[in-house]
Amino acid sequence: MSTADRDRVPKQDRSRATRQRLLEAAVACLAEHGWAGSTVTVVAERAGVSRGAAQHHFPTREDLFTAAVEYVAEERSNALRELFPEGAADRRAVVTAVVDLYTGPLFRAALHLWVAASNEEQLRSRVTELEARVGRETHRIAIDLLHADETRPGVRETVQGFLDMARGLGLANLLTDDTARRRRVVAQWSDLLERALR
Amino acid sequence: MSTADRDRVPKQDRSRATRQRLLEAAVACLAEHGWAGSTVTVVAERAGVSRGAAQHHFPTREDLFTAAVEYVAEERSNALRELFPEGAADRRAVVTAVVDLYTGPLFRAALHLWVAASNEEQLRSRVTELEARVGRETHRIAIDLLHADETRPGVRETVQGFLDMARGLGLANLLTDDTARRRRVVAQWSDLLERALR
């Protein structure tokens, strides 16, 4: 191994760690301050990275924030799959875990990005594409974990409607802590979903 | 009737008409430009009203936009009730009409206001209170029109979950035209809801 090779590995690691810190800081920043309050400078500061280094990784503000939402969405998807390594025996547990995905800081950050994208041309196409990708992946996970058979008529739409409900529950949690009501709704709809998918 | 009395009525009418124009312009403006692009000046211009007159009706930006979302929400609720003057025979028609409430400009405007309120202290308490009020009214209408018997266990949560789904469907329509997918989801969930409420 040459000296150059030996040096390259830790450098790449450092670079990857910096990138990750920036992405996590960006999602936290979006969730807390919204799009208007989220700039590359604010995120770089939060991540303890120079503005130049941040711009080396993400040349534009749009690059940084769409990458951040995508990265965290992937992390969450992986975490969800790991929660139920053998698929799930209990559909109610899956329903609860999926709904939890939509009530945390990731959903909050994604919501700020979607809403900003609805009025900002530079963001719109990128966020639309990102939303479609993340949506497809979440749908696939839900189908797997719920052991839903999409070849049966109506099953696809049943799961889609459930994911729409999860998104609506996320929205209902934006301004107030909706946990108690949400728990009752989730319990009831887990039963309805169980009957529909059985 | 004195001259003063005779003159007062049309003046009140004019004032009411001005107020209404401002409220409708405010909702349209929020839906199109978001909170950051929505100022009293922009709305006054759109409504063809002087800035002074606008501020006479709504001293602050927060006054104008919360009043606007409330006004349009009330208009929509009344329209929904009028669609089914004798309650509804067909639950699917009710489900479709309720979901339609969440995919138009009112939902878009309300969404911008909610998201802005999550980061702005002056807005937060007012919007939280407004959301609770509008939410309760929508729930009441849905219960009535769906002939749902809330004394039966689970019925309340079934209807709440349906309204959460409607909100989620509204969100899914923010960046792209989701009509075709939404129709299939609504058809399927109308059936599930029909079975759950029967």
Side-chain angles (χ1 to χ4, degrees), chain B residues 127-150:
Chain B
V127 173
T128 302
E129 199 251 328
L130 170 64
E131 194 196 354
R133 207 148 10 104
V134 171
R136 272 195 304 272
E137 174 62 8
T138 312
H139 181 81
R140 203 155 29 226
I141 295 179
I143 288 283
D144 286 353
L145 295 185
L146 291 168
H147 296 294
D149 176 5
E150 281 197 300

PDB file of all heavy atoms in Angstrom, chain B residues 127-150:
ATOM      1  N   VAL B 127     -53.316  30.121  15.769  1.00  0.00           N
ATOM      2  CA  VAL B 127     -53.581  29.094  14.762  1.00  0.00           C
ATOM      3  C   VAL B 127     -53.957  27.771  15.438  1.00  0.00           C
ATOM      4  O   VAL B 127     -54.829  27.040  14.962  1.00  0.00           O
ATOM      5  CB  VAL B 127     -52.382  28.939  13.810  1.00  0.00           C
ATOM      6  CG1 VAL B 127     -52.566  27.766  12.864  1.00  0.00           C
ATOM      7  CG2 VAL B 127     -52.192  30.216  13.010  1.00  0.00           C
ATOM      8  N   THR B 128     -53.317  27.494  16.580  1.00  0.00           N
ATOM      9  CA  THR B 128     -53.658  26.284  17.329  1.00  0.00           C
ATOM     10  C   THR B 128     -55.137  26.308  17.719  1.00  0.00           C
ATOM     11  O   THR B 128     -55.868  25.339  17.546  1.00  0.00           O
ATOM     12  CB  THR B 128     -52.793  26.193  18.607  1.00  0.00           C
ATOM     13  OG1 THR B 128     -51.422  26.207  18.212  1.00  0.00           O
ATOM     14  CG2 THR B 128     -53.070  24.915  19.373  1.00  0.00           C
ATOM     15  N   GLU B 129     -55.567  27.443  18.211  1.00  0.00           N
ATOM     16  CA  GLU B 129     -56.946  27.605  18.652  1.00  0.00           C
ATOM     17  C   GLU B 129     -57.896  27.509  17.445  1.00  0.00           C
ATOM     18  O   GLU B 129     -58.929  26.839  17.496  1.00  0.00           O
ATOM     19  CB  GLU B 129     -57.053  28.972  19.351  1.00  0.00           C
ATOM     20  CG  GLU B 129     -58.240  29.144  20.250  1.00  0.00           C
ATOM     21  CD  GLU B 129     -59.232  30.100  19.620  1.00  0.00           C
ATOM     22  OE1 GLU B 129     -58.807  31.032  18.893  1.00  0.00           O
ATOM     23  OE2 GLU B 129     -60.440  29.889  19.845  1.00  0.00           O
ATOM     24  N   LEU B 130     -57.505  28.145  16.354  1.00  0.00           N
ATOM     25  CA  LEU B 130     -58.317  28.102  15.120  1.00  0.00           C
ATOM     26  C   LEU B 130     -58.430  26.676  14.589  1.00  0.00           C
ATOM     27  O   LEU B 130     -59.520  26.208  14.223  1.00  0.00           O
ATOM     28  CB  LEU B 130     -57.655  29.007  14.071  1.00  0.00           C
ATOM     29  CG  LEU B 130     -58.193  28.939  12.651  1.00  0.00           C
ATOM     30  CD1 LEU B 130     -59.640  29.408  12.604  1.00  0.00           C
ATOM     31  CD2 LEU B 130     -57.342  29.790  11.699  1.00  0.00           C
ATOM     32  N   GLU B 131     -57.315  25.977  14.568  1.00  0.00           N
ATOM     33  CA  GLU B 131     -57.307  24.604  14.062  1.00  0.00           C
ATOM     34  C   GLU B 131     -58.234  23.715  14.894  1.00  0.00           C
ATOM     35  O   GLU B 131     -58.973  22.899  14.354  1.00  0.00           O
ATOM     36  CB  GLU B 131     -55.872  24.051  14.093  1.00  0.00           C
ATOM     37  CG  GLU B 131     -55.715  22.774  13.295  1.00  0.00           C
ATOM     38  CD  GLU B 131     -54.429  22.012  13.609  1.00  0.00           C
ATOM     39  OE1 GLU B 131     -53.589  22.519  14.370  1.00  0.00           O
ATOM     40  OE2 GLU B 131     -54.282  20.899  13.085  1.00  0.00           O
ATOM     41  N   ALA B 132     -58.181  23.901  16.217  1.00  0.00           N
ATOM     42  CA  ALA B 132     -59.034  23.097  17.103  1.00  0.00           C
ATOM     43  C   ALA B 132     -60.506  23.359  16.797  1.00  0.00           C
ATOM     44  O   ALA B 132     -61.318  22.440  16.686  1.00  0.00           O
ATOM     45  CB  ALA B 132     -58.717  23.417  18.563  1.00  0.00           C
ATOM     46  N   ARG B 133     -60.847  24.635  16.620  1.00  0.00           N
ATOM     47  CA  ARG B 133     -62.235  25.014  16.364  1.00  0.00           C
ATOM     48  C   ARG B 133     -62.713  24.443  15.028  1.00  0.00           C
ATOM     49  O   ARG B 133     -63.770  23.824  14.942  1.00  0.00           O
ATOM     50  CB  ARG B 133     -62.356  26.542  16.360  1.00  0.00           C
ATOM     51  CG  ARG B 133     -63.708  27.026  16.749  1.00  0.00           C
ATOM     52  CD  ARG B 133     -63.707  28.376  17.491  1.00  0.00           C
ATOM     53  NE  ARG B 133     -62.457  29.071  17.503  1.00  0.00           N
ATOM     54  CZ  ARG B 133     -62.167  30.146  16.749  1.00  0.00           C
ATOM     55  NH1 ARG B 133     -63.039  30.627  15.900  1.00  0.00           N
ATOM     56  NH2 ARG B 133     -60.986  30.729  16.858  1.00  0.00           N
ATOM     57  N   VAL B 134     -61.914  24.651  13.976  1.00  0.00           N
ATOM     58  CA  VAL B 134     -62.296  24.164  12.646  1.00  0.00           C
ATOM     59  C   VAL B 134     -62.342  22.629  12.649  1.00  0.00           C
ATOM     60  O   VAL B 134     -63.254  22.027  12.075  1.00  0.00           O
ATOM     61  CB  VAL B 134     -61.306  24.683  11.580  1.00  0.00           C
ATOM     62  CG1 VAL B 134     -61.553  24.014  10.235  1.00  0.00           C
ATOM     63  CG2 VAL B 134     -61.415  26.201  11.451  1.00  0.00           C
ATOM     64  N   GLY B 135     -61.401  22.000  13.344  1.00  0.00           N
ATOM     65  CA  GLY B 135     -61.373  20.546  13.433  1.00  0.00           C
ATOM     66  C   GLY B 135     -62.626  19.980  14.083  1.00  0.00           C
ATOM     67  O   GLY B 135     -63.204  19.014  13.589  1.00  0.00           O
ATOM     68  N   ARG B 136     -63.041  20.603  15.191  1.00  0.00           N
ATOM     69  CA  ARG B 136     -64.254  20.143  15.885  1.00  0.00           C
ATOM     70  C   ARG B 136     -65.475  20.259  14.972  1.00  0.00           C
ATOM     71  O   ARG B 136     -66.309  19.356  14.920  1.00  0.00           O
ATOM     72  CB  ARG B 136     -64.496  20.983  17.148  1.00  0.00           C
ATOM     73  CG  ARG B 136     -63.789  20.465  18.381  1.00  0.00           C
ATOM     74  CD  ARG B 136     -64.349  21.104  19.661  1.00  0.00           C
ATOM     75  NE  ARG B 136     -64.275  22.569  19.624  1.00  0.00           N
ATOM     76  CZ  ARG B 136     -63.220  23.282  20.030  1.00  0.00           C
ATOM     77  NH1 ARG B 136     -62.127  22.675  20.475  1.00  0.00           N
ATOM     78  NH2 ARG B 136     -63.243  24.603  19.987  1.00  0.00           N
ATOM     79  N   GLU B 137     -65.570  21.373  14.263  1.00  0.00           N
ATOM     80  CA  GLU B 137     -66.720  21.597  13.385  1.00  0.00           C
ATOM     81  C   GLU B 137     -66.728  20.572  12.244  1.00  0.00           C
ATOM     82  O   GLU B 137     -67.773  20.008  11.908  1.00  0.00           O
ATOM     83  CB  GLU B 137     -66.693  23.043  12.850  1.00  0.00           C
ATOM     84  CG  GLU B 137     -67.736  23.381  11.806  1.00  0.00           C
ATOM     85  CD  GLU B 137     -69.177  23.257  12.286  1.00  0.00           C
ATOM     86  OE1 GLU B 137     -69.392  23.055  13.505  1.00  0.00           O
ATOM     87  OE2 GLU B 137     -70.085  23.332  11.430  1.00  0.00           O
ATOM     88  N   THR B 138     -65.566  20.317  11.659  1.00  0.00           N
ATOM     89  CA  THR B 138     -65.506  19.338  10.572  1.00  0.00           C
ATOM     90  C   THR B 138     -65.883  17.948  11.085  1.00  0.00           C
ATOM     91  O   THR B 138     -66.604  17.198  10.415  1.00  0.00           O
ATOM     92  CB  THR B 138     -64.092  19.298   9.958  1.00  0.00           C
ATOM     93  OG1 THR B 138     -63.669  20.635   9.699  1.00  0.00           O
ATOM     94  CG2 THR B 138     -64.071  18.509   8.663  1.00  0.00           C
ATOM     95  N   HIS B 139     -65.418  17.625  12.282  1.00  0.00           N
ATOM     96  CA  HIS B 139     -65.760  16.333  12.878  1.00  0.00           C
ATOM     97  C   HIS B 139     -67.275  16.210  13.055  1.00  0.00           C
ATOM     98  O   HIS B 139     -67.875  15.201  12.704  1.00  0.00           O
ATOM     99  CB  HIS B 139     -65.047  16.174  14.227  1.00  0.00           C
ATOM    100  CG  HIS B 139     -65.318  14.868  14.897  1.00  0.00           C
ATOM    101  ND1 HIS B 139     -64.646  13.711  14.561  1.00  0.00           N
ATOM    102  CD2 HIS B 139     -66.215  14.511  15.851  1.00  0.00           C
ATOM    103  CE1 HIS B 139     -65.110  12.709  15.290  1.00  0.00           C
ATOM    104  NE2 HIS B 139     -66.062  13.173  16.089  1.00  0.00           N
ATOM    105  N   ARG B 140     -67.888  17.265  13.579  1.00  0.00           N
ATOM    106  CA  ARG B 140     -69.338  17.253  13.812  1.00  0.00           C
ATOM    107  C   ARG B 140     -70.082  17.031  12.500  1.00  0.00           C
ATOM    108  O   ARG B 140     -71.014  16.246  12.415  1.00  0.00           O
ATOM    109  CB  ARG B 140     -69.748  18.579  14.458  1.00  0.00           C
ATOM    110  CG  ARG B 140     -71.045  18.507  15.226  1.00  0.00           C
ATOM    111  CD  ARG B 140     -71.134  19.566  16.315  1.00  0.00           C
ATOM    112  NE  ARG B 140     -70.368  20.755  15.973  1.00  0.00           N
ATOM    113  CZ  ARG B 140     -69.547  21.385  16.815  1.00  0.00           C
ATOM    114  NH1 ARG B 140     -69.377  20.951  18.028  1.00  0.00           N
ATOM    115  NH2 ARG B 140     -68.888  22.460  16.437  1.00  0.00           N
ATOM    116  N   ILE B 141     -69.660  17.747  11.455  1.00  0.00           N
ATOM    117  CA  ILE B 141     -70.322  17.606  10.156  1.00  0.00           C
ATOM    118  C   ILE B 141     -70.160  16.180   9.630  1.00  0.00           C
ATOM    119  O   ILE B 141     -71.121  15.570   9.146  1.00  0.00           O
ATOM    120  CB  ILE B 141     -69.734  18.613   9.136  1.00  0.00           C
ATOM    121  CG1 ILE B 141     -70.055  20.042   9.577  1.00  0.00           C
ATOM    122  CG2 ILE B 141     -70.277  18.349   7.744  1.00  0.00           C
ATOM    123  CD1 ILE B 141     -69.489  21.099   8.657  1.00  0.00           C
ATOM    124  N   ALA B 142     -68.948  15.658   9.738  1.00  0.00           N
ATOM    125  CA  ALA B 142     -68.705  14.304   9.222  1.00  0.00           C
ATOM    126  C   ALA B 142     -69.577  13.286   9.958  1.00  0.00           C
ATOM    127  O   ALA B 142     -70.181  12.404   9.338  1.00  0.00           O
ATOM    128  CB  ALA B 142     -67.225  13.946   9.354  1.00  0.00           C
ATOM    129  N   ILE B 143     -69.654  13.410  11.282  1.00  0.00           N
ATOM    130  CA  ILE B 143     -70.494  12.501  12.083  1.00  0.00           C
ATOM    131  C   ILE B 143     -71.957  12.577  11.605  1.00  0.00           C
ATOM    132  O   ILE B 143     -72.597  11.553  11.360  1.00  0.00           O
ATOM    133  CB  ILE B 143     -70.386  12.892  13.586  1.00  0.00           C
ATOM    134  CG1 ILE B 143     -69.017  12.507  14.149  1.00  0.00           C
ATOM    135  CG2 ILE B 143     -71.526  12.261  14.389  1.00  0.00           C
ATOM    136  CD1 ILE B 143     -68.839  11.031  14.458  1.00  0.00           C
ATOM    137  N   ASP B 144     -72.450  13.797  11.439  1.00  0.00           N
ATOM    138  CA  ASP B 144     -73.844  13.975  11.001  1.00  0.00           C
ATOM    139  C   ASP B 144     -74.070  13.364   9.623  1.00  0.00           C
ATOM    140  O   ASP B 144     -74.981  12.576   9.421  1.00  0.00           O
ATOM    141  CB  ASP B 144     -74.202  15.462  10.919  1.00  0.00           C
ATOM    142  CG  ASP B 144     -74.388  16.081  12.292  1.00  0.00           C
ATOM    143  OD1 ASP B 144     -74.372  15.326  13.291  1.00  0.00           O
ATOM    144  OD2 ASP B 144     -74.541  17.316  12.369  1.00  0.00           O
ATOM    145  N   LEU B 145     -73.241  13.767   8.671  1.00  0.00           N
ATOM    146  CA  LEU B 145     -73.492  13.370   7.288  1.00  0.00           C
ATOM    147  C   LEU B 145     -73.287  11.868   7.084  1.00  0.00           C
ATOM    148  O   LEU B 145     -73.924  11.253   6.226  1.00  0.00           O
ATOM    149  CB  LEU B 145     -72.589  14.155   6.325  1.00  0.00           C
ATOM    150  CG  LEU B 145     -72.845  15.667   6.258  1.00  0.00           C
ATOM    151  CD1 LEU B 145     -71.966  16.291   5.187  1.00  0.00           C
ATOM    152  CD2 LEU B 145     -74.304  15.988   5.980  1.00  0.00           C
ATOM    153  N   LEU B 146     -72.379  11.287   7.883  1.00  0.00           N
ATOM    154  CA  LEU B 146     -72.143   9.845   7.740  1.00  0.00           C
ATOM    155  C   LEU B 146     -73.131   9.021   8.580  1.00  0.00           C
ATOM    156  O   LEU B 146     -73.067   7.803   8.585  1.00  0.00           O
ATOM    157  CB  LEU B 146     -70.707   9.493   8.178  1.00  0.00           C
ATOM    158  CG  LEU B 146     -69.574  10.000   7.276  1.00  0.00           C
ATOM    159  CD1 LEU B 146     -68.222   9.839   7.967  1.00  0.00           C
ATOM    160  CD2 LEU B 146     -69.561   9.253   5.938  1.00  0.00           C
ATOM    161  N   HIS B 147     -74.059   9.717   9.241  1.00  0.00           N
ATOM    162  CA  HIS B 147     -74.988   9.032  10.162  1.00  0.00           C
ATOM    163  C   HIS B 147     -74.223   8.090  11.081  1.00  0.00           C
ATOM    164  O   HIS B 147     -74.592   6.920  11.236  1.00  0.00           O
ATOM    165  CB  HIS B 147     -76.037   8.226   9.381  1.00  0.00           C
ATOM    166  CG  HIS B 147     -76.921   9.084   8.550  1.00  0.00           C
ATOM    167  ND1 HIS B 147     -77.806   9.992   9.082  1.00  0.00           N
ATOM    168  CD2 HIS B 147     -77.049   9.192   7.213  1.00  0.00           C
ATOM    169  CE1 HIS B 147     -78.441  10.626   8.118  1.00  0.00           C
ATOM    170  NE2 HIS B 147     -77.990  10.166   6.965  1.00  0.00           N
ATOM    171  N   ALA B 148     -73.148   8.615  11.663  1.00  0.00           N
ATOM    172  CA  ALA B 148     -72.324   7.778  12.538  1.00  0.00           C
ATOM    173  C   ALA B 148     -72.832   7.918  13.971  1.00  0.00           C
ATOM    174  O   ALA B 148     -73.093   9.031  14.430  1.00  0.00           O
ATOM    175  CB  ALA B 148     -70.866   8.204  12.441  1.00  0.00           C
ATOM    176  N   ASP B 149     -72.929   6.807  14.655  1.00  0.00           N
ATOM    177  CA  ASP B 149     -73.443   6.800  16.022  1.00  0.00           C
ATOM    178  C   ASP B 149     -72.267   6.766  16.998  1.00  0.00           C
ATOM    179  O   ASP B 149     -71.701   5.709  17.280  1.00  0.00           O
ATOM    180  CB  ASP B 149     -74.346   5.569  16.201  1.00  0.00           C
ATOM    181  CG  ASP B 149     -74.830   5.446  17.638  1.00  0.00           C
ATOM    182  OD1 ASP B 149     -74.548   6.342  18.466  1.00  0.00           O
ATOM    183  OD2 ASP B 149     -75.497   4.435  17.934  1.00  0.00           O
ATOM    184  N   GLU B 150     -71.926   7.944  17.519  1.00  0.00           N
ATOM    185  CA  GLU B 150     -70.724   8.053  18.359  1.00  0.00           C
ATOM    186  C   GLU B 150     -70.859   7.350  19.703  1.00  0.00           C
ATOM    187  O   GLU B 150     -69.872   7.245  20.425  1.00  0.00           O
ATOM    188  CB  GLU B 150     -70.372   9.527  18.598  1.00  0.00           C
ATOM    189  CG  GLU B 150     -69.663  10.152  17.426  1.00  0.00           C
ATOM    190  CD  GLU B 150     -68.975  11.443  17.833  1.00  0.00           C
ATOM    191  OE1 GLU B 150     -69.668  12.380  18.287  1.00  0.00           O
ATOM    192  OE2 GLU B 150     -67.742  11.525  17.694  1.00  0.00           O
TER     193      GLU B 150
END
